[in-house]
Amino acid sequence: MRTTVGIIGAGPAGLLLARLLHNAGIDSVVLESRDRAYVEQRQRAGILEQGTVDVLREAGAAERMDREGLPHDGIELRFDRRRHRVDFPALTGGRSVMVYAQTEVCKDLIALQLAEGGPLLFEAEALAVEGAETESPSVRFRHEGREDVLDCDYVVACDGSWGVGRKAVPADVSQVFERTYPFGWLGILADVVPSHDELVYSRHDRGFALLSMRSPSVTRAYLQVPDGTNADDWSDEEIWDELDRRLETADGWKLERGAITSKSVTPMRSYVHEPMRHGRLFLAGDAAHIVPPTGAKGLNLAVGDVVTFARALTHRHKTGSTERLDAYSQTCLRRVWQAERFSYAMTTMLHRAPDATPFDDRIQRAHLDRITASPAAGTDLAEGYTGFPLD
């Protein structure tokens, strides 16, 4: 099998890249180790930055998002039982975000790829990337019980932090920067109308809480819990009680409760692998970087990576110049590190560390007071949340 771009992974990054390349007249093949049902059901991100929304629209993949997604013009910060709304459009010149789950993005892009695009092979496990330093790299993979080889001009690894893509970058050229946090998120989905029409981020002495949503009838919520927590150790009633405590306000706001349909614990980690390119192998998304979910950056960073690659390869095909492909890693990393900075700042401002001192608590409150009192500080948060430029 031969193609111009071999894409490993059919998450939103790999699928969007295939769509962007198809629209540019460049062929690709997507290899995904899981079956279609798994890809369309795995719960991940739910916040799309302004730039991500714009790209999906330009790619012709936004019809259902525009019909069913929930545009959000701000978030609410809570601390000391106080409430403060951050107005995104007022602070950013009109930018906002969209609540539309990753599962739905994948469904939309899969349908388009199968109807209009190149091959999308499910249950095709990538085994190795070979010849990355040559002009003809390849991906060895297993599909339908036999091994095969996909010969390419370029390979883009969108296969996550444990995939074969990053493993193909030699250790002697790799640099890793990471931080592991001593807490995680206990996340739930519940069949109940969301208790607020925008996301609520709450700093509390008992730990962080986030009130979110997946649709007008489904609530998504999170609690900060110690690292290593088992979700099954929390009863539904205990979860709602703790959310009530951490989200409480002085004005009598009420948390609506309902049937919890799923719960799980997400670890918190910051990670960057440099470089994001080795020869004709390009890393994208979690294969190159991970952020704690506090800043809603994971999916959006992956989109930025594949947009950068698609634009660079299109430029190569139109002009013959490899300048933009050669600059892929540096271009992406500028945005990645800004997103890492923003996610780290949001995480440390809102979560209470196990060894936190009274000094640490006062610093967190001072940071939140600054955002509520200063338009400049509020603008910095709003610009970071709605997304850094894709160029």
Side-chain angles (χ1 to χ4, degrees):
M1 187 180 296
R2 173 126 184 84
T3 191
T4 301
V5 182
I7 302 171
I8 309 175
L15 292 166
L16 178 59
L17 176 57
R19 179 67 181 176
L20 296 173
L21 294 175
H22 168 76
N23 289 348
I26 301 171
D27 61 297
S28 68
V29 172
V30 183
L31 305 175
E32 168 56 47
S33 62
R34 303 282 192 163
D35 61 25
R36 180 177 179 177
Y38 179 89
V39 174
E40 293 186 338
Q41 293 171 10
R42 55 185 169 193
Q43 292 293 330
R44 292 291 189 272
I47 303 294
L48 307 183
E49 295 174 354
Q50 182 70 65
T52 298
V53 170
D54 294 343
V55 166
L56 289 171
R57 287 172 177 160
E58 291 167 8
E63 180 181 351
R64 195 162 66 93
M65 178 195 73
D66 283 330
R67 186 173 66 249
E68 300 177 11
L70 305 175
H72 278 210
D73 287 339
I75 58 171
E76 184 172 287
L77 298 175
R78 292 188 186 180
F79 60 105
D80 297 337
R81 302 178 70 208
R82 296 155 50 193
R83 305 169 68 174
H84 174 77
R85 182 173 185 268
V86 180
D87 187 328
F88 293 157
L91 295 167
T92 64
R95 296 172 68 81
S96 61
V97 297
M98 179 81 75
V99 175
Y100 191 64
Q102 174 175 315
T103 50
E104 306 311 309
V105 174
C106 287
K107 289 175 186 176
D108 297 341
L109 290 169
I110 287 171
L112 285 169
Q113 184 71 8
L114 294 177
E116 303 174 6
L120 166 55
L121 305 183
F122 291 104
E123 299 181 87
E125 180 188 7
L127 303 174
V129 177
E130 298 172 339
E133 297 177 351
T134 73
E135 294 186 357
S136 301
S138 62
V139 182
R140 187 160 46 83
F141 67 100
R142 182 183 296 113
H143 184 235
E144 296 181 341
R146 64 183 183 86
E147 283 197 20
D148 204 342
V149 174
L150 176 62
D151 294 312
C152 325
D153 293 332
Y154 305 92
V155 176
V156 181
C158 308
D159 54 345
S161 56
W162 304 110
V164 301
R166 195 167 69 202
K167 294 175 183 176
V169 181
D172 61 353
V173 302
S174 297
Q175 281 188 292
V176 169
F177 306 87
E178 61 184 326
R179 177 181 292 273
T180 301
Y181 300 87
F183 42 74
W185 277 10
L186 170 60
I188 65 163
L189 282 171
D191 287 336
V192 59
V193 174
S195 302
H196 194 61
D197 56 1
E198 294 179 332
L199 273 68
V200 177
Y201 288 76
S202 179
R203 187 268 173 206
H204 193 278
D205 286 343
R206 294 177 64 90
F208 169 76
L210 171 60
L211 187 62
S212 181
M213 63 202 69
R214 280 296 177 264
S215 75
S217 61
V218 176
T219 289
R220 183 74 157 151
Y222 300 92
L223 288 168
Q224 176 188 342
V225 294
D227 187 36
T229 294
N230 186 335
D232 293 332
D233 292 340
W234 285 70
S235 70
D236 291 3
E237 185 177 9
E238 288 173 329
I239 291 171
W240 287 120
D241 287 346
E242 192 62 24
L243 284 167
D244 243 336
R245 280 188 285 267
R246 299 188 193 183
L247 292 165
E248 183 185 17
T249 65
D251 61 2
W253 173 88
K254 186 178 185 302
L255 176 69
E256 300 295 334
R257 302 187 179 206
I260 294 176
T261 58
S262 121
K263 54 186 175 182
S264 60
V265 173
T266 302
M268 304 283 278
R269 185 182 177 210
S270 298
Y271 177 97
V272 179
H273 178 282
E274 295 187 10
M276 289 177 57
R277 175 196 178 186
H278 178 66
R280 292 204 171 192
L281 166 65
F282 297 77
L283 306 182
D286 285 359
H289 42 72
I290 296 170
V291 288
T294 324
K297 288 284 160 279
L299 180 154
N300 295 291
L301 271 184
V303 168
D305 295 342
V306 298
V307 168
T308 299
F309 177 82
R311 289 175 177 173
L313 186 58
T314 301
H315 180 73
R316 164 77 171 84
H317 278 225
K318 287 181 177 179
T319 69
S321 171
T322 64
E323 179 182 5
R324 295 187 184 181
L325 284 171
D326 294 340
Y328 170 82
S329 185
Q330 300 96 308
T331 302
C332 290
L333 284 169
R334 282 195 295 271
R335 189 168 186 268
V336 166
W337 277 113
Q338 285 301 316
E340 292 282 355
R341 174 196 63 81
F342 176 77
S343 299
Y344 174 81
M346 289 283 286
T347 300
T348 54
M349 177 178 71
L350 294 166
H351 292 74
R352 195 167 194 274
D355 59 352
T357 66
F359 177 87
D360 298 324
D361 294 335
R362 289 294 189 273
I363 289 293
Q364 286 183 319
R365 288 186 173 91
H367 195 169
L368 288 161
D369 281 335
R370 175 68 176 165
I371 291 171
T372 64
S374 165
T379 297
D380 184 60
L381 189 155
E383 288 180 343
Y385 201 96
T386 57
F388 302 103
L390 293 179
D391 291 327

